[in-house]
Amino acid sequence: MDNFKSKTLAMTAQKKILGKMANKTSVQMFIDDTTSEILDELYHISKHHTGNRTEAQKVIKNLIKIAVKIGLLFRNNCFSTEELVLATDFKKKLRQGAMTSTSFYEVDFTFDQAVMEDILTSCRDMLLKLVNTHLTPKSHGRIKHVFNHYSDPALLTALFDPNGPLRPNLAKICKGLDKLMEDGTI
């Protein structure tokens, strides 16, 4: 009991509560409208790709839980100086991914699957390193699930097909990403 810290206990409780309430209504308290619209489109893409509504919901729920938990860690100053540098590098890589996605969308037939896979894999690895000591292995599994899902070559190829059925979804995602980049969110 000598190592008892109420701040650690409070943080654990907050992460647990936020993990349990990752539904659309409660998430609106933590995620802005633009991000929510992007998440909706990512859900539709996942549902189309997997043909499974439950799996698509699980991917988005995992994405939301991770985003909220990392936001909670950041707001409570839980990251060391080295981890904050890694967080900055992650944000830069995420921004690069957003810019690359938008470029692939705007210029037909420029999509390079290897480039997108590399960006998503790098983001996944940086994020896992960032939260290594802060989140549980279950949360690490959620991060892997989300990034592995969206870096699936078949999903990426279908998403960036200029004549494919996911084109309207990609358009909305890119519009949202542009807004988030303009706002400095990513």
Side-chain angles (χ1 to χ4, degrees):
M1 216 46 178
D2 292 337
N3 294 332
F4 178 80
K5 298 223 187 266
S6 60
K7 183 177 180 179
T8 304
L9 183 62
M11 177 67 74
T12 303
Q14 286 177 27
K15 288 191 295 189
K16 192 81 160 163
I17 290 167
L18 290 173
K20 295 268 186 227
M21 49 184 261
N23 62 43
K24 192 169 183 168
T25 307
S26 62
V27 167
Q28 290 174 345
M29 293 186 298
F30 301 101
I31 297 177
D32 63 51
D33 289 340
T34 304
T35 304
S36 181
E37 290 168 9
I38 292 171
L39 290 171
D40 288 345
E41 295 308 319
L42 288 172
Y43 165 77
H44 293 300
I45 288 165
S46 294
K47 185 177 172 192
H48 181 272
H49 176 68
T50 63
N52 184 332
R53 183 176 146 259
T54 305
E55 176 61 20
Q57 288 174 341
K58 184 177 179 182
V59 171
I60 296 301
K61 191 171 187 175
N62 284 343
L63 177 57
I64 291 168
K65 283 181 178 185
I66 293 303
V68 170
K69 286 181 181 184
I70 292 170
L72 180 67
L73 290 169
F74 186 75
R75 280 190 291 282
N76 285 290
N77 299 315
C78 293
F79 294 122
S80 69
T81 305
E82 296 82 21
E83 290 169 332
L84 288 173
V85 169
L86 184 59
T88 301
D89 291 344
F90 172 76
K91 187 175 178 180
K92 287 177 187 173
K93 184 59 88 170
L94 197 60
R95 183 176 178 84
Q96 177 192 1
M99 290 171 29
T100 302
S101 295
T102 301
S103 175
F104 287 156
Y105 165 72
E106 290 174 347
V107 184
D108 288 348
F109 305 106
T110 58
F111 170 65
D112 187 335
Q113 176 184 319
V115 170
M116 283 308 298
E117 283 183 67
D118 180 57
I119 291 170
L120 291 168
T121 301
S122 294
C123 283
R124 179 198 66 206
D125 295 344
M126 280 189 233
L127 199 53
L128 285 169
K129 190 174 179 183
L130 176 65
V131 300
N132 186 41
T133 60
H134 301 284
L135 297 180
T136 65
K138 187 173 183 178
S139 292
H140 295 187
R142 286 185 176 115
I143 292 169
K144 291 174 187 171
H145 179 235
V146 168
F147 280 94
N148 292 346
H149 176 78
Y150 287 109
S151 64
D152 177 358
L155 184 145
L156 290 172
T157 301
L159 180 60
F160 287 98
D161 180 353
N163 302 314
L166 299 176
R167 188 74 174 175
N169 303 93
L170 181 59
K172 291 176 186 174
I173 289 171
C174 289
K175 181 180 176 188
L177 290 173
D178 284 341
K179 188 171 189 299
L180 293 178
M181 286 189 286
E182 286 174 18
D183 297 346
T185 305
I186 58 172

